[in-house]
């Protein structure tokens, strides 16, 4: 019998060795974009508990267990453009979740968000370090930001889908939950022909596998439409990386999506 440690390695080895079948499923919405601000958390009673896509997380939060989250991705996760590591979205996400779940110094449980972002990483680079940087941390939840560098670096769309599918399956084989985060809305990506196809493919794969999506691109467009922020307030002078203000809004939105996935708030409360 294969152990939980062996199976993820076999899944990734297969993906890195050669092509896998790519689904032709079309992109379908799995959840509406989440809002920039978190609603007050009203934890449902056991009889009112909402359906949870993030089953492990829901179980841990339901019994006040400690939660270990790995934020996996490229420069948007690492925090390029932020004034300090404390202003990168993973650090802000940890604080937002602690606040919403009322976790303080006297609490008997904890939320830990580990930043495993690396600037410039494509899906191929992330696949090579998934075991070391993510699975070895034994996370309960992985928030995987991906799809921005692949079109910039010319990674074939089919290869992106293949490696992303293998990575999701490898993470799930350990018992952890997965949430994916799509591309940022920015001038640099808008200027790359076909870049939006990587986001569409990520949405289609997430729908196929039942993975919640943090729809960053749609949220950023909505923030501008509703006058919450301007493009210049969200994205720095390089036309690609988010500012402190952008990361702050992203962390709040990610926290809301995670709580929706855990069945702790209604999806309608996390809409724009």
């Amino acid at each position: 019998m294969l152990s939980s440690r062996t199976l993820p390695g076999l899944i990734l080895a297969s993906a890195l060795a050669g092509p896998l079948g790519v689904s032709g499923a079309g992109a379908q919405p799995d959840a509406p974009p989440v809002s920039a601000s978190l609603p007050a958390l009203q934890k449902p009673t056991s009889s009112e508990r909402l359906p949870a896509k993030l089953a492990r997380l829901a179980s841990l939060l339901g019994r006040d267990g400690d939660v270990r989250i790995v934020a996996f991705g490229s420069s948007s996760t690492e925090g390029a453009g932020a004034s300090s590591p404390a202003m990168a979205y993973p650090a802000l996400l940890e604080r937002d979740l602690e606040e919403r779940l009322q976790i303080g110094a006297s609490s008997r449980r904890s939320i830990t968000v580990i930043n495993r972002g690396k600037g410039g990483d494509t899906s191929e680079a992330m696949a090579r370090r998934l075991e070391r940087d993510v699975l070895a941390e034994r996370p309960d939840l992985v928030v995987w930001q991906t799809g921005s560098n692949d079109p910039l670096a010319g990674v074939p769309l089919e290869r992106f889908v293949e490696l992303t599918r293998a990575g999701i399956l490898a993470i799930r084989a350990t018992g952890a939950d997965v949430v994916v985060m799509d591309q940022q809305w920015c001038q640099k990506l808008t200027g790359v022909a076909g870049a939006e196809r990587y986001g569409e493919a990520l949405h289609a794969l997430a729908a196929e596998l039942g993975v919640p999506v943090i729809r960053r691109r749609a949220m950023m467009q909505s923030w501008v439409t509703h006058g919450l922020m301007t493009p210049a307030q969200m994205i720095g002078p390089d036309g690609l990386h988010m500012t402190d203000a952008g990361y702050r809004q992203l962390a709040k939105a990610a926290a809301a999506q995670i709580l929706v996935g855990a069945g702790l708030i209604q999806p309608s409360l996390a809409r724009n």
Side-chain angles (χ1 to χ4, degrees):
M1 180 178 293
L2 296 176
S3 70
S4 61
R5 297 286 295 169
T6 302
L7 184 55
L10 290 176
I11 294 171
L12 283 174
S14 176
L16 289 168
L20 297 174
V22 178
S23 169
Q28 299 180 22
D30 75 284
V34 294
S35 67
S37 60
L38 276 170
L41 178 61
Q42 295 180 340
K43 190 171 180 179
T45 65
S46 57
S47 61
E48 297 172 333
R49 185 164 295 279
L50 304 168
K53 284 190 174 182
L54 305 178
R56 182 181 180 90
L57 181 64
S59 175
L60 290 171
L61 294 178
R63 53 186 171 86
D64 290 340
D66 293 339
V67 175
R68 191 171 178 84
I69 300 171
V70 169
F72 185 40
S74 56
S75 56
S76 292
T77 299
E78 186 177 26
S83 60
S84 72
M87 291 306 298
Y89 104 79
L92 298 170
L93 173 63
E94 179 177 296
R95 296 207 293 271
D96 281 333
L97 288 173
E98 286 178 340
E99 178 182 343
R100 302 319 304 174
L101 295 169
Q102 300 180 338
I103 296 174
S106 61
S107 177
R108 291 178 296 176
R109 60 173 172 163
S110 66
I111 298 281
T112 302
V113 180
I114 302 165
N115 190 331
R116 288 293 181 264
K118 186 175 181 181
D121 265 13
T122 63
S123 56
E124 293 186 330
M126 285 188 273
R128 289 192 291 270
R129 66 184 181 90
L130 179 65
E131 174 68 36
R132 180 189 71 243
D133 288 357
V134 179
L135 305 186
E137 294 289 352
R138 299 185 181 278
D140 302 301
L141 170 66
V142 177
V143 182
W144 188 356
Q145 166 263 314
T146 188
S148 295
N149 287 322
D150 290 81
L152 293 172
V155 176
L157 179 64
E158 294 78 9
R159 183 64 168 162
F160 166 73
V161 173
E162 169 194 344
L163 291 170
T164 305
R165 177 187 281 108
I168 290 171
L169 295 177
I171 293 166
R172 282 183 163 175
T174 69
D177 292 325
V178 189
V179 172
V180 295
M181 179 188 295
D182 69 6
Q183 302 163 327
Q184 64 268 53
W185 180 52
C186 64
Q187 180 179 357
K188 191 163 185 178
L189 275 173
T190 301
V192 177
E196 72 282 355
R197 294 175 60 212
Y198 291 76
E200 293 167 357
L202 183 65
H203 296 168
L205 181 59
E208 174 193 333
L209 299 179
V211 174
V213 181
I214 297 170
R215 296 175 178 264
R216 178 168 51 150
R217 188 174 188 274
M219 288 191 301
M220 293 174 73
Q221 291 174 314
S222 179
W223 297 341
V224 172
T225 299
H226 290 90
L228 183 64
M229 306 180 78
T230 67
Q233 289 173 323
M234 292 188 303
I235 295 290
D238 67 358
L240 180 63
H241 296 111
M242 299 182 82
T243 62
D244 283 359
Y247 283 129
R248 187 179 300 112
Q249 295 302 133
L250 178 62
K252 291 178 180 178
Q257 181 68 84
I258 288 168
L259 294 175
V260 168
L264 293 182
I265 63 174
Q266 292 278 0
S268 60
L269 296 178
R271 293 178 183 174
N272 278 308

